[in-house]
Each structure stands twice: as structure tokens, then as C-alpha cells.
């Protein structure tokens, strides 16, 4: 009798633990959903998507911005628009009024993985202060290329400092024409505050709030892996490629090459290695096939994204079609785990 009571107690505890484990998953599985994105480099070259809400939450052109300013409380990184191949060079010169030549400077690029400790602007000042003290160096900005591969030109750029939750900057043409100063605010609900250097500078809305999106379909700068007609070579190592990036704010992505999309489930997650790199998906789901003169979707390459609430989504790519030089179609399936 005592052993029977003990068995019943163990069974009850087991059921309780199982119930708690299921609750930790937080979601009941729903049928896979097919999503098709139609991109247009000029008007909606960057499409922001929320997996939780199953909808597009923002669109922007690749050419709407040039610089992004970190909005986190104690971080002061500045990124360039890698989607059009932007780069920068630190001249080490502090005289902003000095004219600079148009030439092939030894350009540096933001690292494709999105690590903010590996930007081409780098540590522009002493960040140990509450308000960072600028080194006052002048940077040359390479504005990248347009959709036809034409160079967009150069500008010079200086960060004067940071005060009252604002970056203090100056921008001009290399010959000192069209010189202007701006204050760039931090906006805590966003990853970055974005700036277009056109005319006399303009703060522009690019990304939705960082809480509201998971993926962005975009052209991006990545390692040169193939000679497909969809890539634009920037250097011998880097090219612009069409793909998918993840939100850097509290999102993680893992690649699964073992399971099929249909059979991948929550209990397979422990076998996966999750990455915070924004190009963890990138273009690893397709490859150019010169024999068929077309793209092939890679088999048994599905991705799992963990969102900021701790929920998991499996993503399988089904189709990539280049319609013309500006437009393309990406189709994928998503299911929650």
C-alpha cells in the first residue's frame, strides 16, 4: 500500500512538471503560414516584419539614410548604411575646415555580422565619461553606390561630442561647401536614430520600434560567396547581396540542417546553436546555379528565431525570384514552436 501511494505521488509530480514545461513554451502550435515579400530597391528595399503579429510593420528605401546613431542609454556607436555599400575613413586630422581630396582612401566597412564593436567609425571619443568626449577626428564618408552601381560620392563628417542625450555632429562636402551642424537625439524605443546627409541633413524614420519587428528583408553587405547576378561587388571580399537580417535587439537565430521543416519542434531546440549576429540568416538559404541560370533554395536549411518574449519560430525559404534589376520576390513559411 505504501509503495502504491509512493507511485501515485511520483506520477502526480511528473504531471505537474510536464504541465509547467508546456506552460514555459508559452504558445500553442499553429499551422505553418506562407509569406511572400515583393521588394523594390527604390521604394521598399527594406521590409520589416513581425513574426508575432504576422504582418509587415515598416518599409523604406535603401537610399533614405546614411548614418545611424545608437539609441541605447550607455552606448554611442555610429553605423553607416551598409545596404548601399557605405564605408568610412578616419583621417586622424582634427581640422574640419581643411579641404580634402576625392581619392580612393583605405576604406573600412561595418562588419557584416553587425557587431557594434566592429564599425568603421569605431570609438570616436572617450566613452568613459557620462557625456563622451570626442577625439575630434574628421572622417571621410563614402556614400556607397546606387541601384545601377554608380558611386554616390564622398562627404566629410565630424562628431563634436555628446550632451543632453544628443550627438553633436558636422557634415560638409570635401571642399567645405554645404557645411552644416546637427544635433541627433537618442530615441530609447528604437535601435538607432537615422540621418540622411542629403541637402542640409534630415533625421528620417527608417526602422519601426525595436520591440515591434523581428526580420528585415533587404540588400546587405556580406562576404562574397558567389558570382550570381544579384550581387554587386564592393571589394574583393565584400559584396551587396539580397537576404534577410534579424533585429539586433533581443533576438537570436539558429540554423538547423538536420530536421525537416515539418518535423522540427520545440524539443529539438537544445541541439541548436543560437547567434546574435544580424546576418545569421543572411543569404544562406539560397545559392546561384550557373547550369540552370537560376537560384536554388538550399534543402534542409531552416532557421529558428527566438523573439524578445522568448517565443520560437521556425522559418523555411521556398522561393527567390529576381524580376528585374530593382524587384524581387522572396517566399517563406513560418511556424511557431
Amino acid at each position: 500500500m505504501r509503495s502504491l501511494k509512493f507511485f501515485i505521488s511520483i506520477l502526480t509530480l511528473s504531471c505537474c512538471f510536464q504541465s509547467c514545461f508546456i506552460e514555459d513554451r508559452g504558445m500553442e502550435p499553429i499551422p505553418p503560414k506562407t509569406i511572400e515579400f515583393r521588394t523594390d530597391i527604390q521604394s521598399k528595399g527594406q521590409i520589416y516584419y513581425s513574426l508575432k503579429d504576422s504582418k509587415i510593420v515598416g518599409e523604406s528605401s535603401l537610399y533614405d539614410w546614411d548614418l545611424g546613431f545608437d539609441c541605447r542609454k550607455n552606448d554611442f556607436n555610429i553605423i553607416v548604411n551598409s545596404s548601399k555599400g557605405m564605408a568610412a575613413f578616419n583621417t586622424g586630422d582634427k581640422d574640419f575646415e581643411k579641404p580634402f581630396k576625392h581619392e580612393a582612401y583605405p576604406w573600412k566597412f561595418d562588419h557584416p555580422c553587425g557587431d557594434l564593436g566592429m564599425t568603421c567609425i569605431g570609438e570616436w571619443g572617450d566613452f568613459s565619461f557620462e557625456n563622451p568626449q570626442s577625439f575630434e577626428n574628421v572622417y571621410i564618408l563614402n556614400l556607397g553606390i546606387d541601384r545601377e552601381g554608380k558611386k554616390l560620392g564622398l562627404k566629410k563628417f565630424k562628431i563634436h561630442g555628446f550632451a543632453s542625450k544628443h550627438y553633436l555632429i558636422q557634415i560638409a562636402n570635401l571642399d567645405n561647401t554645404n557645411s552644416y551642424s546637427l544635433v541627433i537625439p537618442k530615441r530609447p524605443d528604437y535601435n538607432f536614430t537615422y540621418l540622411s546627409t542629403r541637402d542640409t541633413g534630415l533625421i528620417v524614420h527608417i526602422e519601426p520600434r525595436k520591440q515591434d519587428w523581428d526580420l528585415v528583408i533587404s540588400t546587405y553587405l556580406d562576404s562574397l560567396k558567389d558570382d550570381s547576378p544579384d550581387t554587386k561587388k564592393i571589394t574583393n571580399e565584400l559584396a551587396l547581396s539580397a537576404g534577410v537580417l534579424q533585429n539586433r535587439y533581443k533576438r537570436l537565430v539558429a540554423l538547423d540542417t538536420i530536421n525537416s521543416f515539418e518535423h522540427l519542434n520545440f524539443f529539438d531546440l537544445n541541439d541548436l546553436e543560437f547567434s546574435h549576429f544580424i546576418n545569421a540568416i543572411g543569404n544562406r538559404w539560397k545559392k546561384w546555379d550557373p547550369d540552370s541560370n537560376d537560384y536554388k533554395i538550399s534543402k534542409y536549411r531552416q532557421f529558428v528565431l527566438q523573439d524578445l518574449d522568448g517565443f520560437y519560430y521556425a522559418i523555411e525559404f521556398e522561393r527567390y525570384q529576381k524580376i528585374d534589376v530593382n524587384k524581387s520576390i522572396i517566399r517563406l513559411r513560418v511556424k511557431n514552436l
Side-chain angles (χ1 to χ4, degrees), residues 40-46 59-62 64:
D40 186 326
I41 289 177
Q42 190 63 24
S43 61
K44 52 178 183 179
Q46 295 176 313
E59 296 176 348
S60 62
S61 168
L62 299 176
D64 284 348

Side-chain angles (χ1 to χ4, degrees), residues 69-75 162 164-167 184-194 207-213 247-251 308:
F69 297 81
D70 200 331
C71 287
R72 294 173 298 170
K73 184 177 181 180
N74 296 313
D75 292 280
F162 183 90
S164 301
K165 300 179 181 178
H166 287 74
Y167 298 85
I184 310 295
K186 284 200 175 197
R187 301 188 298 166
D189 285 341
Y190 296 84
N191 287 325
F192 299 95
T193 300
Y194 291 95
E207 288 183 6
R209 295 189 322 149
K210 61 187 179 183
Q211 298 91 340
D212 294 343
W213 65 278
N247 188 342
R248 68 180 70 238
Y249 178 67
K250 295 185 178 181
R251 273 76 169 182
L308 78 168

Side-chain angles (χ1 to χ4, degrees), residues 262-330:
E262 286 75 17
H263 292 101
L264 179 65
N265 63 60
F266 182 82
F267 301 101
D268 296 316
L269 299 180
N270 286 334
D271 298 325
L272 302 181
E273 184 176 347
F274 284 82
S275 170
H276 65 277
F277 291 156
I278 64 172
N279 64 346
I281 297 177
N283 62 7
R284 299 162 74 190
W285 46 274
K286 63 179 170 66
K287 57 184 177 181
W288 177 250
D289 180 14
D291 294 331
S292 64
N293 198 37
D294 199 1
Y295 289 94
K296 298 291 186 182
I297 302 300
S298 301
K299 298 295 184 181
Y300 285 96
R301 273 182 172 260
Q302 49 272 334
F303 300 85
V304 177
L305 182 142
Q306 180 185 22
D307 72 6
L308 78 168
D309 295 316
F311 297 145
Y312 294 90
Y313 299 87
I315 303 166
E316 179 187 52
F317 290 85
E318 291 188 321
R319 179 189 182 197
Y320 179 77
Q321 180 183 356
K322 191 73 173 175
I323 299 174
D324 58 33
V325 68
N326 293 320
K327 300 177 182 179
S328 61
I329 296 174
I330 295 176

Side-chain angles (χ1 to χ4, degrees), residues 139-157:
Y139 292 83
I140 306 297
L141 295 177
N142 182 333
L143 299 179
I145 59 176
D146 65 14
R147 63 184 185 274
E148 297 173 351
K150 182 180 178 181
K151 294 180 180 179
L152 294 171
L154 308 179
K155 286 187 179 289
K156 57 182 177 179
F157 168 60

